[in-house]
Structures are given as structure tokens and as C-alpha cells.
Amino acid sequence: MRFLVTGTAGFIGFHLARRLLAEGHDVTGFDAMTSYYDVRLKEARHAILERSERFTAHIGRLEDRDALDRAAEAARPDMLVHLAAQAGVRHSIDHPQTYVDANLVGSFNVLELARALKPRHLLLASTSSVYGANEAMPFREIDRADHPVSLYAATKKALEAMSHSYAHLFAVPTTCFRFFTVYGPWGRPDMALFKFVDAIRAGRPIDIYGEGRMQRDFTYVDDLVEAIVRLAHAVPERGCPVAAPEGVADTLSPVAPWRVVNIAGGEPVGLMPFVETIERCLGLPAIRNMLAMQPGDVVSTFADPRLLEALTGYRPATSVETGVEAFVRWYLDVYEPLRAAA
């Protein structure tokens, strides 16, 4: 099939595009190459994708509707996967306008594009951050998500709401997936694992927020991509809920071909055991700088993955030990030489 994927120079978009290319699909990538983090890392990801004749890259911002239209005209996609966004909870506190531009205006442009293209399936990246101040664990897709604690989370919740209206009004089959702390090779330098490895290798202290009490439902990137690929074929149809085990509620809308799905394994890991795993993989001790919670952060994220499993027969299961080891190998073998050559 033909895929148009936004954010192919980003962490998750790169991995998804590489998987789709390996399966023989045509992929058109759209990315702004913003300077939120080192553009050389983004360029290196795209360079790998461009080894395939089935990959075509378009550089542009989501806010630029003309650029997005040109990419879509070239792609003529069967599937539209929207992963591009301004990421980062903490960054949204100091730079809110970039989130409005990319995540609201840019996502509106993607929805307008879907309205015109009528793809077989529109797949949209949301986040576990939309659960906000919820305290009941695990997070279920049917739980209310009305109290975001960061602008980043609020923009993603807005994307979900906007996409539902488009699915209803224009019959665009749509699935929103909520990511839970994705990590792995080619990850983002602003994420905890990358920052921890970088600091430990350099002998610098690592900042541990929440005084080590935090826990996350870490999701290895290959598991995430597997789930997305499977969900691409689980096209929502109005009036056709999935057969799910007792106690699992489908989120299929009663008025639209639309649903939202958690992607995570449902196995939260404490921040301190996570740091200890990094230490073992590096063979180096971390200098811990224990700090209070950051504004916009939550103590715990923990997904209920049963709807994903009902829809796809799949549940992420890569252990933190395996995933961190893979990241450390990539960091030492690929990233450090890449950085040294710059």
C-alpha cells in the first residue's frame, strides 16, 4: 500500500517508516526538520530511509498547508499516519506557541487533508499525558481525560476531539493511539533514557525528578511499531465494535468510525530500577541528583492494554532490560561515532 507518514525524521516515524518499507510498502515522509533537538540526528534517520527507492521525503511544516498538499499529491496514500508534533511536556511550559502552531494548526491541516483524500484509515498519535490528573490505575481508554496538566497534553486531547468530529462529519475511519513513554535506539535526546546514558558516560550527575518515586509504563519502540502496523488493519466501522473479553470496553464511537487505543504493555517500572538497569548495561555508576517533581509531570503512568490486544491479538512485551541494552548498544556503536564525526 501507499502510506503518507508525518514525522519520518522523528524517533517513532523513522522506525515506522523503516518497518513499512521492509514490508514492501511505498512511504512518503513529511517532516519539518525543526531544531527542537540536533537536526543531524534527524538527517541521519532520513538518510537511512532514503536508501530505499520506495521512500520519498518532503520537508515542510505542518502549518504550511500548501507543502502538505504537495506531499499528499505525490503520495496518493491509502493510509495516512500522523506522528509529527511538537513533543515534550516541560518544553511546552516555556514555548507554548510552538505547540499551538504544530499540534493544533498543523493537526487541523492534516484533518483537512484526510477530509479531501478519504484514506482507508487515518491513524493519529496521541499520548498517555491526556490522562492528566487521573489517579485510578491502570488508565483505561474509557476513563475521563478532562484534566490535562500540561499544554502538550491539552493539544493532544484537542487532536482526539477534533478528529472525532471529522470522522463523524466526513466518514473518515480514524484511530487515535495513546503512547506510553516510548524508548529505544534512535530515540530523542530530550528523553530520560538518552539524557541518563549521555550524562553517565560523561561522568555528570543525572537529574531524578519526583525524588525517584515516579514510575512509567515504558514501551519499546519496536513493540510500538508492531502495534501501529496491526492497528492500521483494524479499521473502525461505525456500529461494529470489537469482540472483547468481559470487562474490556471498546471505544468505538456511537456516531463515527473512530476509536482511541492505548499502546503499552501494562507493566509499569519504577524510575530507580530503570536507572539501575542503565547502570548495569553501561557498567558505570550514576551520580544521582534527586529533585522534586517538575510542573506538568505526573507520578505514574500505567496502561490497560486489553483493548489493543482485543483488536490486534498483540500486547507489547519487551522487557526494560532488553530494551535498554539495545539502546545502549546503539548509543555506543552509532550515536557516539555520529556525534564525534560532526
Side-chain angles (χ1 to χ4, degrees):
M1 290 188 291
R2 297 184 300 273
F3 284 79
L4 173 57
V5 181
T6 69
T8 44
F11 171 36
I12 296 169
F14 160 71
H15 280 279
L16 176 63
R18 189 164 63 169
R19 166 69 181 271
L20 294 172
L21 292 168
E23 292 185 353
H25 302 293
D26 294 324
V27 178
T28 298
F30 186 86
D31 203 288
M33 293 286 183
T34 64
S35 58
Y36 172 58
Y37 60 84
D38 192 348
V39 175
R40 292 172 298 182
L41 187 56
K42 301 178 182 183
E43 292 171 341
R45 295 184 187 123
H46 254 194
I48 291 173
L49 298 177
E50 287 170 340
R51 295 172 188 169
S52 171
E53 295 179 352
R54 290 187 298 274
F55 179 74
T56 304
H58 289 257
I59 307 302
R61 291 183 175 272
L62 292 171
E63 307 93 291
D64 185 346
R65 178 62 194 272
D66 290 339
L68 199 57
D69 284 346
R70 286 193 295 272
E73 184 177 353
R76 296 178 295 111
D78 303 303
M79 300 272 190
L80 175 52
V81 187
H82 178 38
L83 300 174
Q86 177 58 61
V89 168
R90 293 165 193 157
H91 188 71
S92 69
I93 297 171
D94 298 322
H95 303 88
Q97 186 65 50
T98 60
Y99 291 77
V100 172
D101 294 342
N103 299 3
L104 295 181
V105 177
S107 292
F108 163 74
N109 286 339
V110 172
L111 293 175
E112 279 287 285
L113 187 63
R115 173 185 178 180
L117 292 174
K118 292 292 194 294
R120 296 184 195 177
H121 198 177
L122 170 63
L123 300 118
L124 304 170
S126 186
T127 173
S128 61
S129 296
V130 300
Y131 290 109
N134 287 13
E135 295 182 353
M137 300 284 174
F139 293 148
R140 302 175 303 161
E141 294 92 344
I142 60 171
D143 292 341
R144 293 182 64 178
D146 299 331
H147 304 106
V149 295
S150 70
L151 181 64
Y152 167 67
T155 62
K156 287 296 190 175
K157 180 61 178 176
L159 169 62
E160 293 182 5
M162 291 191 299
S163 70
H164 179 270
S165 69
Y166 270 67
H168 168 64
L169 293 169
F170 309 115
V172 178
T174 302
T175 299
C176 299
F177 23 73
R178 292 173 177 168
F179 296 158
F180 283 71
T181 315
V182 186
Y183 73 104
W186 292 98
R188 294 200 329 254
D190 65 314
M191 298 186 75
L193 176 57
F194 207 123
K195 292 198 295 187
F196 287 173
V197 170
D198 205 44
I200 293 170
R201 287 280 294 168
R204 300 191 309 270
I206 62 172
D207 291 337
I208 299 179
Y209 294 102
E211 297 169 341
R213 296 178 292 108
M214 297 168 71
Q215 62 174 3
R216 292 289 182 265
D217 204 345
F218 292 99
T219 310
Y220 187 59
V221 66
D222 287 354
D223 288 350
L224 181 84
V225 167
E226 179 68 29
I228 293 173
V229 169
R230 293 187 183 217
L231 283 170
H233 300 287
V235 182
E237 296 181 52
R238 183 180 169 186
C240 298
V242 68
E246 184 177 353
V248 180
D250 193 355
T251 55
L252 183 68
S253 167
V255 297
W258 181 99
R259 65 162 53 92
V260 61
V261 185
N262 288 336
I263 300 183
E267 298 289 340
V269 174
L271 185 54
M272 296 314 297
F274 186 66
V275 170
E276 290 162 4
T277 300
I278 297 169
E279 291 174 318
R280 286 195 297 272
C281 290
L282 284 174
L284 295 168
I287 305 169
R288 296 170 168 82
N289 183 27
M290 310 301 284
L291 298 170
M293 288 282 290
Q294 285 274 288
D297 253 344
V298 294
V299 174
S300 181
T301 62
F302 175 14
D304 184 339
R306 291 179 296 169
L307 178 56
L308 172 66
E309 196 165 19
L311 288 165
T312 66
Y314 180 74
R315 177 188 296 216
T318 299
S319 69
V320 162
E321 289 76 12
T322 299
V324 169
E325 183 180 4
F327 175 84
V328 168
R329 283 199 307 270
W330 168 82
Y331 183 94
L332 298 177
D333 296 342
V334 178
Y335 181 69
E336 283 195 340
L338 178 69
R339 184 167 59 180

